[in-house]
């Protein structure tokens, strides 16, 4: 189970998984998400990283408030 400071609690799989850049770890900030290109690849808005979706890290966020710092309970 994961727990967020906003009160949300749920299974790991209920969390919202977002793609995160494997090079600079950008991806959790709402205005700075990993970009999905039209050719299906992902691109980091901060560094030059570009790759297939499976090359990006997937990290959980609270589905309610998008907080990436979830506590395991
Ligand atoms: Zn990056
Ligand atoms: Zn939350």
């Amino acid at each position: 189970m994961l727990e967020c400071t906003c009160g949300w609690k749920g299974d790991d799989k209920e969390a919202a998984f977002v793609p995160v850049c494997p090079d600079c770890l950008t991806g959790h900030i709402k205005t700075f998400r990993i970009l999905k290109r039209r050719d299906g690849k992902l691109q980091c808005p901060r560094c030059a990283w570009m790759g297939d979706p499976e090359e990006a890290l997937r990290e959980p966020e609270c589905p309610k408030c998008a907080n990436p710092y979830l506590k395991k309970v």
Side-chain angles (χ1 to χ4, degrees):
M1 290 274 282
L2 296 169
E3 191 181 322
C4 177
T5 47
C6 77
W8 176 84
K9 229 191 236 183
D11 253 353
D12 291 33
K13 60 178 187 299
E14 290 175 57
F17 279 83
V18 297
V20 170
C21 174
D23 284 352
C24 71
L25 303 180
T26 290
H28 280 300
I29 303 162
K30 267 186 196 162
T31 53
F32 228 40
R33 294 288 198 199
I34 296 291
L35 305 167
K36 285 193 181 82
R37 294 159 46 95
R38 250 186 289 171
D39 59 9
K41 288 194 187 293
L42 300 180
Q43 189 171 8
C44 175
R46 181 177 282 170
C47 72
W49 181 82
M50 196 175 85
D52 290 318
E54 53 274 16
E55 290 173 51
L57 307 174
R58 297 241 154 215
E59 293 189 352
E61 271 184 9
C62 173
K64 276 192 171 169
C65 70
N67 170 23
Y69 305 105
L70 300 174
K71 208 170 72 180
K72 283 208 182 285
V73 288

XYZ file of all heavy atoms in Angstrom:
576
model
N 0.830 -1.208 0.000
C 0.000 0.000 0.000
C 0.865 1.257 0.000
O 1.931 1.300 0.592
C -0.871 0.031 1.256
C -1.971 -1.013 1.281
S -3.452 -0.442 0.431
C -4.175 0.651 1.674
N 0.363 2.263 -0.641
C 1.045 3.546 -0.648
C 0.126 4.587 -0.005
O -1.091 4.488 -0.083
C 1.368 3.970 -2.081
C 2.355 3.079 -2.847
C 2.361 3.451 -4.319
C 3.745 3.198 -2.267
N 0.754 5.576 0.609
C -0.028 6.616 1.262
C 0.549 7.984 0.916
O 1.756 8.165 0.860
C 0.013 6.400 2.776
C -0.966 7.263 3.530
C -0.887 7.041 5.045
O -0.697 5.889 5.470
O -0.989 8.030 5.756
N -0.357 8.938 0.694
C 0.062 10.287 0.341
C -0.318 11.248 1.458
O -1.252 10.997 2.223
C -0.631 10.694 -0.956
S -0.261 12.378 -1.468
N 0.372 12.372 1.508
C 0.083 13.371 2.536
C -1.304 13.986 2.360
O -1.839 14.571 3.295
C 1.134 14.494 2.508
O 1.310 14.900 1.148
C 2.464 14.034 3.064
N -1.926 13.862 1.183
C -3.260 14.436 0.970
C -4.355 13.536 1.527
O -5.524 13.905 1.521
C -3.507 14.700 -0.514
S -3.905 13.231 -1.486
N -3.985 12.333 1.950
C -4.985 11.443 2.503
C -5.272 10.247 1.614
O -5.900 9.289 2.042
N -4.791 10.287 0.369
C -5.020 9.157 -0.536
C -4.225 7.946 -0.079
O -3.095 8.058 0.369
C -4.620 9.535 -1.964
C -4.755 8.381 -2.914
C -5.894 7.991 -3.554
C -3.730 7.461 -3.314
N -5.630 6.884 -4.327
C -4.324 6.532 -4.195
C -2.377 7.328 -2.999
C -3.603 5.494 -4.786
C -1.656 6.292 -3.567
C -2.269 5.388 -4.459
N -4.832 6.792 -0.206
C -4.198 5.541 0.157
C -4.600 4.512 -0.874
O -5.763 4.471 -1.278
C -4.728 5.095 1.521
C -3.653 4.713 2.511
C -4.310 4.059 3.691
C -3.939 4.791 4.981
N -4.522 4.118 6.164
N -3.661 3.718 -1.340
C -4.060 2.705 -2.308
C -2.951 1.724 -2.594
O -1.832 1.848 -2.097
N -3.302 0.758 -3.425
C -2.341 -0.231 -3.875
C -1.314 0.422 -4.785
O -1.593 1.428 -5.406
C -3.081 -1.296 -4.695
C -3.213 -2.591 -3.935
O -2.623 -2.681 -2.844
O -3.914 -3.486 -4.423
N -0.143 -0.217 -4.888
C 0.873 0.287 -5.799
C 0.303 0.475 -7.205
O 0.599 1.435 -7.885
C 2.059 -0.684 -5.861
C 2.838 -0.715 -4.563
O 2.214 -0.547 -3.494
O 4.063 -0.903 -4.605
N -0.534 -0.469 -7.625
C -1.025 -0.410 -9.003
C -2.118 0.650 -9.196
O -2.470 0.971 -10.321
C -1.503 -1.780 -9.483
C -2.630 -2.399 -8.684
C -3.007 -3.740 -9.322
C -4.231 -4.375 -8.709
N -4.099 -4.694 -7.276
N -2.646 1.191 -8.116
C -3.638 2.260 -8.230
C -2.993 3.625 -8.369
O -3.644 4.604 -8.714
C -4.538 2.280 -7.003
C -5.485 1.099 -6.913
C -6.249 1.129 -5.596
O -6.913 2.130 -5.324
O -6.124 0.160 -4.830
N -1.695 3.682 -8.069
C -0.994 4.951 -8.209
C -0.875 5.294 -9.687
O -0.973 4.428 -10.551
C 0.384 4.848 -7.582
N -0.679 6.564 -9.969
C -0.491 6.990 -11.356
C 0.992 6.872 -11.686
O 1.824 7.517 -11.055
C -0.966 8.431 -11.519
N 1.304 6.025 -12.670
C 2.708 5.867 -13.026
C 3.064 6.810 -14.165
O 2.404 6.819 -15.196
C 3.014 4.411 -13.403
C 3.213 3.554 -12.187
C 2.133 3.020 -11.519
C 4.490 3.326 -11.699
C 2.311 2.263 -10.375
C 4.672 2.568 -10.567
C 3.578 2.038 -9.898
N 4.065 7.620 -13.933
C 4.469 8.587 -14.957
C 5.851 8.226 -15.486
O 6.689 7.690 -14.754
C 4.484 10.027 -14.389
C 3.099 10.455 -13.961
C 5.472 10.154 -13.242
N 6.104 8.498 -16.766
C 7.449 8.266 -17.299
C 8.420 9.308 -16.769
O 8.100 10.491 -16.687
C 7.258 8.400 -18.821
C 5.996 9.144 -19.020
C 5.164 8.999 -17.770
N 9.595 8.839 -16.372
C 10.616 9.720 -15.819
C 11.899 9.523 -16.627
O 12.264 8.400 -16.968
C 10.839 9.403 -14.323
C 12.057 10.123 -13.769
C 9.599 9.774 -13.520
N 12.574 10.601 -16.940
C 13.816 10.561 -17.713
C 14.889 9.783 -16.950
O 15.164 10.090 -15.798
C 14.294 11.980 -17.984
S 15.897 12.036 -18.777
N 15.510 8.758 -17.584
C 16.532 7.976 -16.887
C 17.833 8.743 -16.690
O 18.673 8.343 -15.882
C 16.749 6.764 -17.809
C 16.300 7.216 -19.155
C 15.247 8.261 -18.938
N 18.008 9.835 -17.390
C 19.255 10.599 -17.281
C 19.183 11.690 -16.209
O 20.077 11.838 -15.399
C 19.607 11.234 -18.621
C 20.182 10.215 -19.597
O 20.428 9.076 -19.170
O 20.367 10.560 -20.767
N 18.111 12.482 -16.208
C 18.063 13.622 -15.280
C 16.871 13.553 -14.336
O 16.660 14.463 -13.547
C 18.071 14.940 -16.046
S 16.546 15.275 -16.937
N 16.079 12.468 -14.419
C 14.967 12.221 -13.507
C 13.868 13.282 -13.582
O 13.113 13.474 -12.635
C 15.462 12.058 -12.062
C 16.500 10.943 -11.854
C 16.919 10.876 -10.394
C 15.953 9.585 -12.303
N 13.779 13.944 -14.714
C 12.677 14.870 -14.937
C 11.414 14.078 -15.263
O 11.499 13.045 -15.921
C 13.015 15.810 -16.120
O 14.055 16.680 -15.691
C 11.820 16.639 -16.556
N 10.269 14.559 -14.823
C 9.028 13.883 -15.177
C 7.923 14.047 -14.159
O 6.765 13.863 -14.473
N 8.286 14.400 -12.926
C 7.260 14.498 -11.892
C 6.627 15.883 -11.807
O 5.554 16.028 -11.245
C 7.849 14.149 -10.524
C 7.973 12.673 -10.313
N 6.895 11.830 -10.343
C 9.052 11.894 -10.091
C 7.300 10.588 -10.124
N 8.607 10.600 -9.984
N 7.289 16.892 -12.355
C 6.734 18.238 -12.246
C 5.667 18.419 -13.329
O 5.904 18.132 -14.490
C 7.852 19.294 -12.400
C 8.929 19.040 -11.347
C 7.283 20.696 -12.264
C 10.252 19.715 -11.641
N 4.492 18.862 -12.911
C 3.341 18.917 -13.817
C 3.614 19.693 -15.100
O 3.150 19.328 -16.162
C 2.163 19.570 -13.092
C 1.274 18.557 -12.427
C 0.043 19.231 -11.862
C -0.646 18.323 -10.865
N -1.576 19.063 -10.004
N 4.326 20.775 -14.997
C 4.563 21.604 -16.177
C 5.796 21.154 -16.951
O 6.190 21.776 -17.918
C 4.742 23.078 -15.763
O 5.755 23.132 -14.757
C 3.475 23.646 -15.203
N 6.413 20.062 -16.517
C 7.682 19.630 -17.084
C 7.664 18.128 -17.282
O 8.581 17.427 -16.909
C 8.793 20.019 -16.104
C 9.966 20.716 -16.735
C 9.784 21.661 -17.722
C 11.264 20.441 -16.318
C 10.870 22.304 -18.285
C 12.349 21.085 -16.874
C 12.148 22.022 -17.860
N 6.609 17.637 -17.878
C 6.466 16.206 -18.089
C 7.303 15.750 -19.276
O 7.606 16.520 -20.181
C 5.007 15.862 -18.389
C 4.055 16.108 -17.241
C 4.257 15.105 -16.162
N 3.095 15.073 -15.267
C 3.134 14.576 -14.052
N 4.259 14.095 -13.569
N 2.064 14.553 -13.309
N 7.612 14.451 -19.263
C 8.233 13.832 -20.436
C 7.252 13.955 -21.613
O 6.065 13.704 -21.466
C 8.524 12.336 -20.143
C 9.554 12.190 -19.024
C 8.973 11.599 -21.397
C 10.945 12.625 -19.383
N 7.762 14.357 -22.737
C 6.921 14.571 -23.906
C 6.755 13.285 -24.699
O 7.716 12.535 -24.873
C 7.548 15.638 -24.813
C 7.860 16.973 -24.161
C 8.744 17.794 -25.076
C 6.597 17.722 -23.828
N 5.522 13.058 -25.155
C 5.282 11.930 -26.059
C 5.324 12.470 -27.482
O 4.536 13.317 -27.862
C 3.909 11.311 -25.769
C 3.900 10.498 -24.511
C 2.633 9.647 -24.441
C 2.607 8.833 -23.161
N 2.111 9.627 -22.018
N 6.255 11.944 -28.258
C 6.384 12.401 -29.637
C 5.394 11.677 -30.538
O 4.873 10.632 -30.190
C 7.809 12.172 -30.126
C 8.852 13.007 -29.405
C 10.215 12.384 -29.568
N 10.452 12.004 -30.954
C 11.099 12.777 -31.842
N 11.600 13.928 -31.464
N 11.263 12.373 -33.073
N 5.176 12.237 -31.706
C 4.222 11.617 -32.629
C 4.723 10.272 -33.147
O 3.941 9.417 -33.535
C 3.915 12.561 -33.795
C 2.495 13.091 -33.698
C 2.145 13.898 -34.914
N 2.876 15.188 -34.909
C 2.887 16.020 -35.935
N 2.248 15.720 -37.028
N 3.538 17.156 -35.863
N 6.048 10.057 -33.140
C 6.573 8.773 -33.610
C 6.565 7.720 -32.502
O 7.090 6.623 -32.681
C 7.982 8.940 -34.200
C 8.984 9.501 -33.195
O 8.644 9.594 -31.998
O 10.104 9.834 -33.592
N 6.002 8.063 -31.341
C 5.865 7.079 -30.276
C 6.995 7.103 -29.277
O 6.927 6.444 -28.235
N 8.054 7.855 -29.566
C 9.163 7.930 -28.621
C 8.878 8.982 -27.560
O 8.003 9.829 -27.714
C 10.450 8.291 -29.364
C 10.983 7.149 -30.219
C 12.411 7.452 -30.631
C 12.952 6.446 -31.627
N 13.118 5.107 -31.074
N 9.616 8.896 -26.479
C 9.486 9.885 -25.420
C 10.698 10.804 -25.457
O 11.800 10.398 -25.822
C 9.409 9.194 -24.061
C 8.253 8.217 -23.856
C 8.318 7.619 -22.451
C 6.917 8.909 -24.057
N 10.464 12.042 -25.061
C 11.545 13.007 -25.075
C 11.526 13.822 -23.791
O 10.472 14.259 -23.325
C 11.385 13.934 -26.281
C 12.575 14.829 -26.495
C 12.484 15.581 -27.814
O 11.474 15.553 -28.504
N 13.562 16.264 -28.159
N 12.710 14.016 -23.231
C 12.834 14.790 -21.999
C 12.878 16.278 -22.327
O 13.621 16.686 -23.207
C 14.110 14.370 -21.270
S 14.429 15.355 -19.802
N 12.081 17.086 -21.626
C 12.077 18.523 -21.916
C 13.293 19.246 -21.333
O 13.538 20.399 -21.653
C 10.786 19.021 -21.264
C 10.547 18.056 -20.157
C 11.107 16.724 -20.598
N 14.066 18.575 -20.489
C 15.174 19.250 -19.838
C 16.525 18.913 -20.472
O 17.307 19.789 -20.784
C 15.191 18.897 -18.356
C 16.314 19.603 -17.610
C 16.278 19.293 -16.147
N 15.247 20.077 -15.457
C 14.874 19.852 -14.200
N 15.421 18.880 -13.506
N 13.955 20.598 -13.640
N 16.793 17.620 -20.653
C 18.060 17.232 -21.260
C 17.800 16.706 -22.662
O 16.697 16.792 -23.166
C 18.777 16.190 -20.390
S 18.019 14.565 -20.403
N 18.742 16.126 -23.297
C 18.581 15.702 -24.688
C 18.072 14.273 -24.807
O 18.024 13.722 -25.891
C 19.910 15.839 -25.424
N 17.679 13.658 -23.695
C 17.301 12.253 -23.746
C 16.069 12.017 -24.610
O 15.095 12.757 -24.568
C 17.037 11.707 -22.342
C 16.676 10.244 -22.369
C 17.542 9.207 -22.436
C 15.361 9.683 -22.367
N 16.829 8.028 -22.478
C 15.505 8.286 -22.443
C 14.079 10.236 -22.317
C 14.414 7.432 -22.455
C 12.987 9.376 -22.345
C 13.160 7.985 -22.394
N 16.131 10.957 -25.389
C 14.998 10.537 -26.181
C 15.065 9.019 -26.274
O 16.141 8.452 -26.438
C 15.103 11.129 -27.578
C 13.816 11.066 -28.345
S 13.996 11.906 -29.932
C 14.690 10.575 -30.877
N 13.928 8.354 -26.137
C 13.973 6.901 -26.198
C 12.602 6.297 -26.267
O 11.579 6.988 -26.274
N 12.567 4.976 -26.322
C 11.306 4.268 -26.350
C 10.676 4.306 -24.962
O 11.379 4.409 -23.963
C 11.544 2.812 -26.774
C 11.940 2.715 -28.240
O 11.327 3.429 -29.050
O 12.872 1.956 -28.550
N 9.333 4.194 -24.919
C 8.638 4.261 -23.626
C 9.182 3.271 -22.593
O 9.244 3.584 -21.397
C 7.190 3.935 -23.991
C 7.051 4.357 -25.414
C 8.392 4.138 -26.054
N 9.629 2.081 -23.056
C 10.108 1.110 -22.075
C 11.497 1.445 -21.529
O 11.942 0.842 -20.556
C 10.046 -0.324 -22.625
C 10.705 -0.586 -23.953
C 9.782 -0.302 -25.152
O 8.738 0.377 -25.004
O 10.129 -0.741 -26.238
N 12.178 2.403 -22.139
C 13.486 2.814 -21.632
C 13.358 3.848 -20.514
O 14.293 4.082 -19.756
C 14.326 3.419 -22.758
C 14.785 2.412 -23.796
C 15.460 3.123 -24.973
O 16.360 3.932 -24.717
O 15.056 2.883 -26.117
N 12.220 4.504 -20.442
C 12.015 5.494 -19.390
C 11.732 4.790 -18.068
O 11.261 3.653 -18.046
C 10.853 6.414 -19.758
N 12.029 5.450 -16.981
C 11.653 4.912 -15.681
C 10.163 5.179 -15.482
O 9.611 6.122 -16.035
C 12.449 5.603 -14.574
C 13.971 5.623 -14.732
C 14.581 6.478 -13.626
C 14.540 4.229 -14.684
N 9.535 4.332 -14.704
C 8.120 4.552 -14.373
C 8.035 4.709 -12.865
O 8.401 3.809 -12.128
C 7.271 3.365 -14.808
C 7.294 3.158 -16.287
C 5.899 3.298 -16.882
N 6.005 3.695 -18.280
C 5.144 4.504 -18.895
N 4.130 4.986 -18.236
N 5.295 4.836 -20.147
N 7.582 5.844 -12.447
C 7.515 6.069 -11.009
C 6.098 6.432 -10.600
O 5.389 7.112 -11.330
C 8.504 7.169 -10.623
C 9.934 6.707 -10.831
C 10.950 7.680 -10.262
O 10.570 8.773 -9.839
O 12.129 7.300 -10.247
N 5.709 5.965 -9.408
C 4.330 6.219 -8.966
C 4.132 7.633 -8.430
O 5.045 8.242 -7.874
C 4.142 5.187 -7.849
C 5.510 4.921 -7.330
C 6.469 5.140 -8.465
N 2.933 8.117 -8.630
C 2.515 9.404 -8.087
C 1.131 9.226 -7.507
O 0.388 8.345 -7.917
C 2.393 10.431 -9.222
C 3.644 11.182 -9.513
C 3.425 12.254 -10.575
O 2.266 12.509 -10.954
O 4.425 12.827 -10.998
N 0.785 10.104 -6.606
C -0.583 10.112 -6.101
C -1.534 10.457 -7.244
O -1.336 11.449 -7.931
C -0.716 11.141 -4.980
S -2.403 11.359 -4.427
N -2.592 9.653 -7.470
C -3.523 9.950 -8.560
C -4.382 11.171 -8.276
O -4.999 11.716 -9.178
C -4.385 8.682 -8.639
C -4.265 8.040 -7.308
C -2.927 8.414 -6.754
N -4.408 11.621 -7.033
C -5.233 12.781 -6.693
C -4.474 14.091 -6.798
O -4.958 15.065 -7.334
C -5.774 12.641 -5.265
C -7.014 11.807 -5.185
C -7.634 11.955 -3.817
C -9.005 11.306 -3.751
N -9.470 11.243 -2.365
N -3.266 14.123 -6.218
C -2.562 15.404 -6.158
C -1.209 15.359 -6.844
O -0.467 16.338 -6.802
C -2.420 15.862 -4.703
S -1.274 14.867 -3.740
N -0.852 14.241 -7.482
C 0.375 14.116 -8.261
C 1.648 14.246 -7.428
O 2.711 14.534 -7.944
C 0.392 15.105 -9.427
N 1.551 14.005 -6.144
C 2.732 14.020 -5.294
C 3.563 12.746 -5.529
O 3.028 11.651 -5.431
C 2.243 14.097 -3.833
C 3.353 13.867 -2.830
O 4.523 14.056 -3.120
N 2.973 13.468 -1.641
N 4.850 12.892 -5.881
C 5.668 11.690 -6.123
C 6.244 11.078 -4.841
O 6.825 10.004 -4.880
C 6.798 12.217 -7.011
C 6.927 13.658 -6.653
C 5.563 14.124 -6.194
N 6.105 11.766 -3.728
C 6.714 11.270 -2.487
C 5.693 10.473 -1.689
O 5.141 10.955 -0.708
C 7.277 12.431 -1.669
C 8.241 13.260 -2.469
C 7.870 14.513 -2.951
C 9.509 12.761 -2.763
C 8.753 15.256 -3.714
C 10.388 13.505 -3.527
C 10.004 14.753 -4.001
O 10.872 15.487 -4.753
N 5.435 9.270 -2.175
C 4.458 8.433 -1.485
C 5.149 7.572 -0.446
O 6.274 7.137 -0.629
C 3.739 7.541 -2.507
C 2.974 8.303 -3.599
C 2.427 7.321 -4.618
C 1.867 9.139 -3.024
N 4.439 7.375 0.628
C 4.975 6.569 1.719
C 4.467 5.155 1.580
O 3.289 4.929 1.313
C 4.493 7.176 3.047
C 5.425 6.925 4.206
C 5.009 7.762 5.399
C 3.715 7.216 6.012
N 3.268 7.990 7.186
N 5.348 4.176 1.772
C 4.902 2.775 1.770
C 4.328 2.456 3.132
O 4.946 2.728 4.157
C 6.078 1.846 1.479
C 6.461 1.832 0.011
C 7.079 0.487 -0.364
C 7.514 0.466 -1.825
N 6.384 0.350 -2.757
N 3.122 1.922 3.131
C 2.504 1.547 4.422
C 2.077 0.087 4.417
O 2.018 -0.548 3.383
C 1.275 2.437 4.743
C 1.720 3.841 5.118
C 0.288 2.491 3.597
Zn 16.305 14.287 -18.975
Zn -2.026 12.997 -2.816
